[in-house]
Amino acid sequence: MSIGNFAVGIGVLVIAGIIEPLAETFEVSLSTIGLLVTVYAVAYALSSPILVSLTGRVSRRAILAVALLLLFVGNVLAATAISYAIVFVGRIIMAFGAAIYTPAATATAAALTAPEDRGKAIAFVYTGFTAANALGLPLGTFLGLNYGWRLTFWLLAIMAAMSAGFLWRGLPNDV
């Protein structure tokens, strides 16, 4: 679950590191590209309470897989975008996945551990997000600036798909 949160964490702010090549590709201003951070934040903030409450009775295993699938789809859209609008839509889809994933991963980690170990389990989930800010963001920026910004989104898509596979195989059906 920590690896999924690593992908979520990079996805949140990686735009800041690849803002110039994105602006050049789509021939828009830096502030227009900056809206990709804003739309992600707004979509996440507005959708998280709604999506989490709507999925409360669904298995966490399924929720985590669907959330990571949304991250995958959003990143593939961004990686293959031929227009700014497509990246914009991809960012919204990514935000919906992240809005479900982090709360569900936290709840799942707590549910799978003994009461005395729940704090450690939750901290481990958030370690992925912390590592994303400390390591993933600079790496995503480096790769995006040196090998093309699309590579950053492709790598995030691959991480989301791999995480979904690991969680689907590793989590019990009844979680």
Side-chain angles (χ1 to χ4, degrees):
M1 287 180 274
S2 187
I3 294 170
N5 229 17
F6 184 76
V8 167
I10 295 171
V12 170
L13 295 173
V14 75
I15 297 298
I18 55 175
I19 193 167
E20 289 181 8
L22 278 167
E24 289 171 13
T25 298
F26 298 116
E27 299 177 350
V28 297
S29 68
L30 295 177
S31 60
T32 299
I33 296 298
L35 289 174
L36 295 174
V37 174
T38 304
V39 73
Y40 186 105
V42 170
Y44 185 105
L46 295 178
S47 70
S48 187
I50 295 165
L51 294 173
V52 169
S53 67
L54 290 175
T55 59
R57 297 186 186 267
V58 179
S59 100
R60 289 187 184 122
R61 180 179 180 231
I63 291 169
L64 291 169
V66 168
L68 289 168
L69 177 63
L70 289 170
L71 282 172
F72 172 80
V73 168
N75 279 294
V76 169
L77 274 176
T80 60
I82 58 172
S83 71
Y84 173 80
I86 294 171
V87 177
F88 195 90
V89 170
R91 292 290 290 169
I92 294 170
I93 293 169
M94 286 178 226
F96 289 164
I100 301 170
Y101 185 82
T102 299
T106 303
T108 304
L112 290 173
T113 56
E116 63 273 10
D117 293 328
R118 287 187 180 145
K120 290 178 191 173
I122 292 169
F124 186 72
V125 170
Y126 278 93
T127 298
F129 201 88
T130 303
N133 287 312
L135 304 171
L137 208 50
L139 179 61
T141 299
F142 173 80
L143 293 173
L145 293 176
N146 291 293
Y147 300 101
W149 60 265
R150 293 178 192 276
L151 177 63
T152 301
F153 289 115
W154 279 118
L155 292 174
L156 290 171
I158 290 167
M159 263 194 285
M162 288 176 55
S163 294
F166 292 145
L167 289 174
W168 190 257
R169 280 185 267 130
L171 289 176
N173 292 334
D174 59 350
V175 171

